[in-house]
């Protein structure tokens, strides 16, 4: 019998250049490698989550993956009703024996970004643009701030929230305003809003830093790096484990140590970044991986 | 009690039905463009909304909040006010409900739930009263202020839900409200809660207020002819404010339903534009409470069936949105349908 | 005191205000035409979104963003003509039709994005309408930094405001437009074709809203994003009312919104939670309306379908 | 004898009514042809058919001998037919000149040539003695002036056949005189006119022929000289009509209503009523004569509590009511028939029954427990009123909007009169109402007086003032010029005073108007 996997995405849907897309990439790779049966759904609203999870469980899928914290409470209920189905949830914890919880230490990755930003800044000011303020986005922000402080204690961080994940126009204006206030490296964790941040950087001749997926190509040379949240890897591994017959419930944390988060390859910017900056990033990376450097998540 | 069905102005069930059919026909063109089968898609759409009890339960669940927001918009319309702010009022209602739901431990169910609902209605009513007061006293157009208050409500609840009211979860949401504040599910696992009864009761109460009370008489008079109403000894300002308060509190019920029933918590920006859909529901229902019930049911079915269509077919979810829009178009433009029907009849 | 003033009238803030206001100006002008003719256009949001998409699409294929603008105008006009037919010919409720257009546009743009580019969410980057430097203007102190170097569409928007003012208040067509929105039957009895006027006005409103969308996708930015109008159509609606259904008023109101927003972006640091700062433009608007503006009377026939015997 | 217009066997049906049933109408070139009939008899409908607003179900139209089809107002305009509507077709927010030229604008390129337009309107206005300010907005000018704008619109378009649908209903006596002069002028220049009116005197004074309609059917056409008041009245109503109001001398009792030093400003802050003193006693009718726009409307609205006062006091039955809400004033015994029944008097979308309780809708027995309506009680009450006030059709559930003007007025009168108010204000109580209904309403007003009500009658209709009032006050420019017993008043004298003449300057020598000639 073929293994069958289904995914319920978060309301951002496919095309978010963030974890939905990443999860889908992981699924696609797994399909290519293992030839599994699969199905997915892109809900438009939080209220739908429970019925989709339930329907997939009911339909007998071996693994049902819930993408995003929005599905936490829905999965809590459904995973109790279908104890023989295996579930996974990204970015949240549902403490049931048939649920694997995939958590990402965005703050750790953001810490590295902060180092890069602080050291690349010539003005002594860097910026952060968030989407809608929430605990997850705050993790990006505080990780970034700690990284900046660790590398260059005097560098100032300007923080703005756009109030939306889908307003690139506002993202651009926020970046311009931060730039006018001196920021010359701006990190965004704001979904589609961030496209505007990157455009502003390209136009204004300063640096932007992408998030979640590799956004370096969006403006070559302008996007210094992207903070990768490797949901694709996590999903692929999860399916691969399932195929091999050792699905493991419980909490799986993806951080620096297991390469679950990290920086992009910096294909277009590696030449611009001085050696000592990369060295500092590497130093922090190894320290965090070794547990010598602790990054707070709030 | 004599139902005043004349107000619904539906000459028959035929026209709306035909509208839906026509919308599906046009929608099938889009589906064919993606290479999927319209027949398969529509079979799912129907079966998963009305095809079984479970499906119908889902439809009911989706319809419930729309009944409230539809009634809210319709009520304001009856007083000549265009309440685009049901969305914001809904959030404020949800906010009050979740606060009461989280805070007052030890209350028995039969007190805790009404208390939470009342709080939702109160806060949402106050939120609705702001554009009402500004309109009545200063003549500021309610459309602007209701739009503005939507944004303010988003940001206010955004803040509270990750700040003072934030729960122990990863997401921007509160903890679940206390057991005693949760609306009971009628036929688990479906999430149809007792809110469905509140919705029906609300429609009846709104009908009653509008058409069977002195207050309704005055509110409608103000809506039709404020000068005439003033002449008739009706306090126009007071009725405008009151209508907005009631409208707001109805939208607040939608918030309470979502928070105490569906999600059992307040999730940041949980509403999928329920307030805005309420506008369409109200107008499709001809601003009559029973028309609103029917229109909400239609939308509920589209939502329920549409979600399943996304899951069970290859039709992308945008198409479902498009088909929903088409159905609204055709149902709204029922003159078109009537025209076709008339021509048929004449030809026959 | 001086600090505050310097901050409030900072040229970078004002320049940002102009940029933020531009899409609102286009769309609120559009709304003005439509409502002046008696058709409520709550669909500005959807028409903007369609325009934003079409501008990107055409520019993507043609390469020339000016041609993209034409595409936006056609697309906005097309959406508007649906609204027009449904509202004018079939006398549907204008608000319902508008709501449906908004939903439709949201679905259609992503549907096409997927069909054409096989992506959802964000389109590829395209060429942009250039930024212009106005030689004389740019060197004037204070005004220069604000208005001297802006995207060509900013100037287009401002120019269109005055064109619209001229059209509505000085031309034969404008006279008829105003008559049709106030008292269609009166216009009818003197031989003005009410339906034709309304069709024209609604389609113009779609064209303008489409331009507003195009500004977002091919002037301010260089790609289309799912739902990138982000409620601007509704703000434009408010601006239209705030501006009392006058082009110049609509521009003023749009600038006010833009300004409040630009100010808000620079305020997010003083220790108050970001959400409260984000509320500022909306609160300011309410205060301004309550304090200084007062009553605004819509065109009398707006929202009412016209029926002939 | 050339016909400019022949309408043959026109039939127009509305759901449930045949508004025009095989009606034929011949208008001779250069004549004034009066068209009369009760409210709802089909006059406006016939004219709307002629003007292209309604499409006849059957029948033919010949203009200047040629068969034509008129689908659009534009067709009518091209045939040089002009129409002045009963409910004005004016855009309130536009200026006079803009309204006149709308649809046939004077252009300069794409622009409207406003300068030229204003000059042209000015010229026309002077030529026909239709004085209005071309640059004023419609919303700022009086109803009489709006009427002139309507006529100017038709003249501007070169109308050779002019339809005037109840043009005099809203005019003051002087304005009527002026209009008649205009009509005669036009006739002299070859314009043919169809003239709709409810006032037989006017028919007799200006028309050459008169056609009478009743319940959608044509009763007949007569040469005006071959008919008289009584004859026409009977043709219209189908029975003998009492043309004079029968009443006994008043027996005034205690003062019911008193205004002292009353001052009122309008929304723009200009003073419309300047220190008026007024007393109305139980059992008398005090008539206020005045040219419209001299503060009568404001006076009445302020007494009813619908407009703030800026000075002075209002007393009803000895109590100060100037701070009371409109509702409290009603409850203190004030009844009010407003001049604009569409704007003030009725909620047109409400049923007749619901309109009959407007203002009392919060009282027993219509409402129980202060909140819940009793449909039974409302229905019973409405049935009774509809019957005793002869509202047609006698269906309390019909929307007020679907009633004819006369019947709408009866609804208002029924509502206000039934409550036997101690103080009753009647503003233009018979405007636009047919003679049968006028007779009825007049009787009711006298009946109220005889039951002891104090009645304040405001009317632009001098006939009405003279025949109903026991005392007459003349208002001019916000002040009461003089008050006199009705016996001392004549139409001429009132007319003189209404135009600003001082009582002491009046002599009987003033020349008479056209209408006097037909006074029987
Ligand atoms: N648009 C319409 N829809 C339905 N019925 C109508 C319409 N217009 C007129 N009627 C009906 O046609 C009949 C004739 O009305 P019409 O307006 O021609 O009367 P009229 O003689 O002008 O009355 P009045 O003296 O009050 O002006 C009435 O019964 C009226 O109710
Ligand atoms: N939709 C309708 N349904 C039924 N009757 C209508 C409708 N619209 C108009 N009428 C009737 O048609 C007739 C003609 O309308 P018109 O506008 O001439 O008013 P009217 O009653 O003559 O007004 P007034 O005498 O108050 O000036 C009126 O009797 C009116 O009540
Ligand atoms: Mg008439
Ligand atoms: Mg009439």
């Amino acid at each position: 019998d073929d293994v069958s996997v289904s995914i319920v995405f978060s309301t951002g849907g496919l095309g978010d250049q963030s974890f939905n897309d990443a999860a889908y990439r992981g699924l696609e790779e797994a399909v290519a490698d293992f030839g599994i049966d699969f199905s997915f759904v892109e809900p438009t609203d939080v209220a739908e989550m429970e019925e989709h999870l339930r329907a997939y469980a009911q339909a007998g899928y071996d693994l049902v993956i819930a993408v995003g914290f929005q599905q936490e409470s829905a999965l809590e209920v459904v995973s109790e009703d279908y104890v023989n189905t295996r579930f996974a949830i990204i970015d949240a914890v549902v403490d049931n024996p048939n649920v694997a919880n995939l958590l990402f230490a965005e703050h750790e990755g953001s810490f590295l970004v902060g180092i890069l930003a602080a050291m690349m800044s010539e003005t002594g000011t860097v910026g952060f643009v968030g989407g809608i303020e929430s605990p997850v986005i705050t993790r990006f922000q505080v990780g970034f701030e700690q990284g900046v402080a660790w590398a260059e204690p005097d560098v100032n961080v300007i923080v703005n929230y756009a109030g939306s994940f889908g307003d690139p126009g506002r993202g651009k204006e926020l970046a311009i305003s931060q730039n006018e206030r001196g920021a010359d490296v701006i990190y965004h964790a704001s979904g589609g809003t961030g496209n505007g941040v990157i455009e502003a950087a390209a136009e204004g001749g300063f640096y932007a830093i992408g998030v979640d997926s590799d956004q370096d190509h969006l403006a070559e040379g302008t996007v210094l790096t992207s903070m990768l949240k490797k949901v694709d890897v996590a999903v692929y591994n999860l399916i691969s484990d399932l195929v091999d017959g050792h699905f493991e419930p419980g909490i799986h944390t993806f951080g620096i140590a297991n390469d679950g988060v990290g920086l992009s390859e910096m294909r277009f910017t590696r030449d611009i970044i001085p050696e000592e900056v990369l060295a500092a990033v590497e130093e922090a990376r190894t320290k965090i991986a070794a547990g010598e450097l602790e990054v707070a998540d709030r | 009690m004599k139902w005043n069905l004349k107000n619904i102005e539906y000459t028959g069930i035929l026209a709306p039905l035909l509208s839906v059919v026509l919308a599906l026909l046009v929608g099938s063109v889009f589906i064919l463009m993606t290479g999927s089968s319209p027949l398969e898609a529509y079979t799912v759409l129907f079966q998963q909304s009305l095809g079984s009890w479970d499906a119908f339960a889902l439809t009911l669940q989706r319809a419930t909040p729309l009944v409230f927001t539809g009634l809210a918009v319709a009520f304001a319309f009856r007083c000549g006010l265009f309440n685009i702010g049901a969305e914001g009022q809904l959030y404020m209602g949800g906010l009050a409900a979740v606060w009461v739901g989280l805070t007052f431990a030890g209350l028995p169910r039969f007190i805790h739930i009404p208390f939470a609902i009342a709080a939702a209605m109160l806060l949402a009513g106050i939120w609705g009263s702001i554009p009402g007061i500004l309109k009545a006293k200063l003549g500021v157009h309610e459309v602007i202020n209701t739009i503005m208050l939507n944004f303010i409500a988003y940001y206010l609840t955004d803040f509270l839900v990750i700040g003072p009211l934030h729960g122990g979860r990863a997401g921007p949401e509160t903890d679940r409200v206390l057991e005693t504040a949760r609306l009971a599910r009628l036929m688990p696992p479906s999430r149809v809660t007792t809110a469905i009864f509140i919705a029906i009761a609300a429609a009846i109460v709104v009908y009653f207020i509008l058409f069977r009370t002195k207050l309704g008489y005055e509110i409608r008079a103000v809506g039709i002819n404020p000068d005439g109403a003033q002449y008739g000894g009706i306090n126009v300002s007071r009725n405008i404010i009151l209508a907005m308060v009631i409208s707001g509190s109805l939208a607040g019920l939608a918030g309470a339903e979502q928070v105490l029933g569906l999600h059992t918590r307040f999730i940041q920006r949980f509403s999928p534009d329920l307030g805005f859909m309420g506008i369409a529901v109200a107008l499709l229902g001809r601003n009559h409470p029973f028309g609103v019930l029917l229109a909400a049911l239609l939308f509920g079915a589209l939502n329920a069936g549409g979600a399943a269509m996304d899951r069970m077919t290859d039709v992308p979810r945008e198409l479902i949105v498009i088909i929903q829009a088409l159905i609204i178009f055709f149902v709204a433009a029922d003159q078109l349908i009537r025209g076709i029907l008339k021509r048929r009849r004449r030809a026959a | 005191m001086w600090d505050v003033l310097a901050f409030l009238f900072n040229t970078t803030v004002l320049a940002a205000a102009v940029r933020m206001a531009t899409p609102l100006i286009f769309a609120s002008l559009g709304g003005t035409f439509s409502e002046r003719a008696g058709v409520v256009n709550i669909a500005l949001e959807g028409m903007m979104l369609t325009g934003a998409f079409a501008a990107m699409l055409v520019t993507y294929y043609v390469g020339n963003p000016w041609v993209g603008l034409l595409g936006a105008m056609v697309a906005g006009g097309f959406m508007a003509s649906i609204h027009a037919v449904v509202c004018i010919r079939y006398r549907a409720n204008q608000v319902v039709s508008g709501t449906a257009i908004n939903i439709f546009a949201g679905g259609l743009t992503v549907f096409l994005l997927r069909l054409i580019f096989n992506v959802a969410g964000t389109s590829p980057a395209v060429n942009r309408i250039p930024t212009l430097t106005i030689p004389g203007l740019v060197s004037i102190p204070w005004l220069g930094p604000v208005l001297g170097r802006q995207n060509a569409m900013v100037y287009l928007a401002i120019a269109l405001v005055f064109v619209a003012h001229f059209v509505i208040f000085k031309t034969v067509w404008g006279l008829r437009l105003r008559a049709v929105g106030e008292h269609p039957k009166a216009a009818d009895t003197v031989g003005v074709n009410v339906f034709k006027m309304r069709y024209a006005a609604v389609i113009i409103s779609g064209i303008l809203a489409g331009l507003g969308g195009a500004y977002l996708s091919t002037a301010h930015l260089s790609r289309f994003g799912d739902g990138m109008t982000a409620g601007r159509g509704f703000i434009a609606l408010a601006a239209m009312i705030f501006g009392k259904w006058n082009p110049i008023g609509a521009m003023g109101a749009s600038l006010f919104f833009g300004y409040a927003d630009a100010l808000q972006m620079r305020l997010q640091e003083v220790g108050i939670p970001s959400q409260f700062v984000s509320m500022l433009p909306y609160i300011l608007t309410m205060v301004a309306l309550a304090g200084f503006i007062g009553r605004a009377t819509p065109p009398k026939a707006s929202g009412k379908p016209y029926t002939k015997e | 004898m050339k016909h400019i217009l022949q309408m043959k066997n026109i039939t127009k049906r509305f759901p449930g009514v045949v508004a025009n049933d095989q009606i034929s109408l011949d208008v001779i070139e250069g004549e004034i042809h009066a068209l009369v009939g009760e409210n709802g008899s089909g006059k406006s409908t016939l004219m709307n058919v002629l003007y292209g607003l309604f499409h006849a179900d059957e029948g033919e139209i010949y203009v200047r001998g040629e068969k034509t089809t008129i689908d659009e107002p534009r067709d009518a305009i091209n045939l040089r037919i002009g129409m002045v509507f009963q409910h004005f077709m004016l855009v309130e927010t536009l200026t006079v000149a803009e309204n006149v030229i709308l649809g046939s604008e004077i252009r300069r390129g794409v622009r409207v040539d406003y300068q030229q337009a204003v000059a042209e309107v000015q010229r026309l206005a002077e030529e026909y003695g239709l004085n209005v300010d071309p640059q004023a907005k419609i919303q700022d000018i009086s109803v009489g002036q709006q009427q002139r704008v309507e006529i100017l619109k038709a003249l501007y378009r070169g109308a050779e056949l002019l339809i005037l649908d109840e043009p005099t209903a809203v005019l003051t006596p002087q304005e009527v005189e002026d209009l008649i002069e205009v009509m005669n002028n036009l006739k002299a220049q070859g314009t043919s006119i169809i003239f709709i009116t409810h006032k037989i005197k006017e028919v007799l004074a200006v028309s050459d022929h008169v056609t009478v309609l009743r319940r959608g059917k044509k009763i007949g056409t007569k040469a005006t000289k071959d008919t008289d008041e009584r004859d026409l009245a009977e043709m219209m109503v189908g029975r003998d009509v009492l043309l004079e109001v029968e009443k006994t001398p008043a027996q005034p009792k205690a003062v019911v209503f008193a205004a002292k030093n009353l001052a009122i400003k309008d929304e723009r802050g200009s003073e419309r009523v300047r220190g008026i003193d007024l007393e109305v006693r139980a059992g008398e009718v005090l008539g206020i004569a005045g040219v419209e726009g001299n503060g009568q409307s404001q006076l009445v609205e302020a007494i009813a509590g619908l407009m703030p006062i800026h000075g002075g006091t209002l007393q009803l039955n000895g109590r100060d009511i100037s701070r009371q809400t409109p509702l409290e004033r009603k409850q203190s015994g004030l009844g009010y028939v407003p001049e604009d029944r569409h704007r003030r008097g009725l909620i047109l979308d409400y049923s007749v029954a619901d309109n009959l309780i407007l203002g009392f809708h919060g009282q027993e027995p219509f409402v129980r427990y202060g909140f819940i309506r009793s449909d039974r009680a409302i229905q019973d009450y409405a049935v009774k009123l509809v019957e005793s006030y002869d509202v047609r059709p006698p269906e309390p559930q019909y929307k007020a909007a679907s009633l004819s003007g006369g019947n709408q007025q009866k609804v208002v009168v029924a509502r206000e009169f039934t409550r036997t108010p101690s103080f009753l204000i009647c503003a233009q109580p018979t405007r636009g109402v047919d003679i049968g209904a006028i007779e009825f309403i007049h009787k009711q007003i006298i009946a109220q007086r005889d039951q002891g009500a104090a009645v304040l009658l405001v009317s632009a209709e001098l006939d009405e003032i003279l025949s109903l009032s026991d005392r007459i006050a003349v208002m001019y420019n916000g002040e009461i010029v003089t008050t006199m017993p009705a016996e001392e008043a004549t139409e001429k004298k009132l007319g003189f005073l209404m135009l600003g003449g001082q009582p002491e300057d009046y002599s009987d020598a003033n020349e008479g108007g056209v209408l006097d000639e037909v006074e029987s």
Side-chain angles (χ1 to χ4, degrees), chain B residues 2 6 208-209 211-221 224-234, chain D residues 306 327 330 336 338 342-344 346-347 349-350 354 357-359 361-362 367 370-373 375 415-416:
Chain B
K2 190 180 104 235
K6 238 186 266 164
F208 191 79
I209 292 177
F211 300 108
R212 319 281 306 174
T213 66
K214 174 186 166 206
L215 177 66
Y217 177 96
E218 296 199 344
I219 280 176
R220 286 182 297 128
I224 299 167
N225 178 0
D227 288 326
Q230 187 199 11
Y231 160 86
I234 295 168
Chain D
L306 301 171
L327 187 62
K330 266 183 199 297
Y336 175 32
H342 284 173
R343 189 173 82 91
R344 281 287 191 209
L346 293 166
I347 310 292
D349 264 3
Y350 271 7
D354 274 347
I357 59 164
L358 180 65
H361 57 273
V367 151
F371 191 65
I372 294 163
R373 278 157 54 91
D375 277 2
R415 176 183 65 215
E416 298 302 312

Side-chain angles (χ1 to χ4, degrees), chain B residues 34-49:
Chain B
T34 64
S36 308
S37 151
L39 192 67
E40 185 201 332
Y42 290 153
T43 307
V44 169
L45 182 67
F46 178 78
Q47 277 180 352
Q48 301 296 316
S49 57

Side-chain angles (χ1 to χ4, degrees), chain C residues 25-63:
Chain C
I25 293 176
F26 281 114
S28 59
L29 271 189
T32 303
F33 273 99
S34 178
E35 294 216 354
R36 277 282 180 179
V39 181
V40 170
N41 192 350
I42 197 181
L44 291 172
E45 175 85 3
M47 295 175 187
M48 285 176 90
L49 196 62
T50 324
F53 179 82
M56 174 281 296
L57 187 70
V58 173
T59 309
Y60 178 81
Y61 283 114
V62 180

Side-chain angles (χ1 to χ4, degrees), chain A residues 22 26-27 31 33 35 56 78 82 84 99 117 120 146 173 178 224 229-230 248 261 274 278 280 289 291 294:
Chain A
L27 176 71
V31 169
D33 291 356
Y56 279 139
V78 176
Y82 294 87
N84 295 323
V99 181
M120 289 300 288
Q146 291 169 75
E173 285 300 331
Q178 291 191 345
L224 263 185
K229 179 168 165 182
K230 298 181 184 169
E248 275 211 43
V261 297
L278 292 173
E294 190 111 12

Side-chain angles (χ1 to χ4, degrees), chain A residues 19 90-91 103-113 135-137 139-141 143-144 187 211-212 227-229 254-255 261 295 297:
Chain A
F19 60 10
I90 294 166
D91 276 357
L103 300 182
F104 291 83
E106 295 92 349
H107 47 291
E108 292 182 359
S110 300
F111 188 93
L112 302 188
V113 165
V136 177
I137 303 301
R139 278 210 294 278
F140 288 89
Q141 180 196 328
F144 180 69
Y187 176 39
V211 80
D212 287 339
M227 201 295 278
L228 302 184
K229 179 168 165 182
F254 296 85
V261 297
V295 185
D297 65 357

